[in-house]
Amino acid sequence: MTRLVLLIFIASIFSCNNSTNLKTSTDPIASRDTFPAKELLIDKGDDEGWGADIRLSITEVSKTDSSISYFANSLYETKNLGFKITVPTASPNNEKELAQVLTIQSSGNISDNLVQTLSKLYKQKADTSLHFVPSKKITFIDLNEFRKQLGAEPSNKDSTKEMKVFFETKNPDDAAELYININEAEHWIEIKEKDDSYRELVIKGLTTK
């Protein structure tokens, strides 16, 4: 009798182990890679005299079946600057579907540091009460897909994803545009100006109080 009870006990242990191994992960992230943070690169546009474009390191990439999220984080003047951006992986099917939606998200203090640094580079009035938006959906056009629809060759021969983003508001006069370029292979994200006249509105579109 004792031996029978022992065999039943052992069988139940193996049964529990097998059921645990058969469980599938509910984590929607299919893969995640991490990379080291590097110094922030700034192109002040010395040739043209007004540029303030920046390049941040990609320190983490997370992929699902429908999107890719990039966590940007770089060091500038003893502070870390960064944010998170999520872009869809599906390509538009035709010219009418070129407009897509990406999401930018705050990463806490380092994102607040980012908008404060951008304000300084954009020569805007310092406002320490401003915070990076917690999360915001923004319309964008993939410029390489746009060129493809026109039958033109892509402007870049590398793996850079070039996007033109639109900060849209109820008041058309408050709308602004910006370029965001992502090179996953080289682990960087660029925030590049469309026009210096948009500087105040870009900061407004990226922040909340």
Side-chain angles (χ1 to χ4, degrees), residues 38-42 53-57 73-77 79 81 114 117 121 189:
K38 298 180 181 179
E39 291 282 340
L40 181 76
L41 298 180
I42 303 174
D53 302 331
I54 64 173
R55 178 181 287 188
L56 301 103
S57 303
N73 185 8
S74 283
L75 184 66
Y76 178 67
E77 294 185 344
K79 293 183 179 180
L81 320 176
L114 174 60
T117 298
L121 294 174
I189 293 177

Side-chain angles (χ1 to χ4, degrees), residues 25 56 85 148 177:
S25 172
L56 301 103
I85 181 170
K148 189 186 298 182
E177 299 175 12

Side-chain angles (χ1 to χ4, degrees), residues 4-16:
L4 178 61
V5 172
L6 181 60
L7 289 173
I8 294 174
F9 176 71
I10 293 173
S12 66
I13 291 176
F14 279 106
S15 176
C16 290

Side-chain angles (χ1 to χ4, degrees), residues 21-162:
N21 292 335
L22 291 173
K23 288 182 179 179
T24 58
S25 172
T26 58
D27 187 352
I29 297 174
S31 65
R32 179 184 283 114
D33 298 306
T34 58
F35 312 96
K38 298 180 181 179
E39 291 282 340
L40 181 76
L41 298 180
I42 303 174
D43 181 0
K44 295 184 178 180
D46 293 334
D47 293 338
E48 299 178 16
W50 58 268
D53 302 331
I54 64 173
R55 178 181 287 188
L56 301 103
S57 303
I58 293 175
T59 57
E60 184 175 305
V61 180
S62 301
K63 299 182 179 181
T64 69
D65 292 338
S66 59
S67 66
I68 305 178
S69 295
Y70 301 95
F71 176 49
N73 185 8
S74 283
L75 184 66
Y76 178 67
E77 294 185 344
T78 73
K79 293 183 179 180
N80 284 83
L81 320 176
F83 72 111
K84 183 179 179 180
I85 181 170
T86 301
V87 295
T89 53
S91 298
N93 295 321
N94 55 61
E95 190 173 341
K96 294 181 180 180
E97 297 178 4
L98 282 174
Q100 297 175 280
V101 177
L102 59 80
T103 304
I104 57 171
Q105 291 176 268
S106 172
S107 297
N109 289 336
I110 68 171
S111 296
D112 294 343
N113 293 340
L114 174 60
V115 291
Q116 295 299 330
T117 298
L118 276 178
S119 295
K120 181 180 178 180
L121 294 174
Y122 287 175
K123 300 178 181 178
Q124 299 298 303
K125 183 179 178 181
D127 186 350
T128 56
S129 68
L130 293 178
H131 297 280
F132 198 95
V133 289
S135 180
K136 185 171 187 174
K137 294 186 181 300
I138 303 176
T139 301
F140 78 95
I141 290 178
D142 186 316
L143 295 180
N144 289 324
E145 290 293 337
F146 176 68
R147 296 182 187 101
K148 189 186 298 182
Q149 294 290 345
L150 295 178
E153 289 291 326
S155 64
N156 59 317
K157 299 299 182 181
D158 58 15
S159 56
T160 302
K161 184 178 183 70
E162 299 178 340

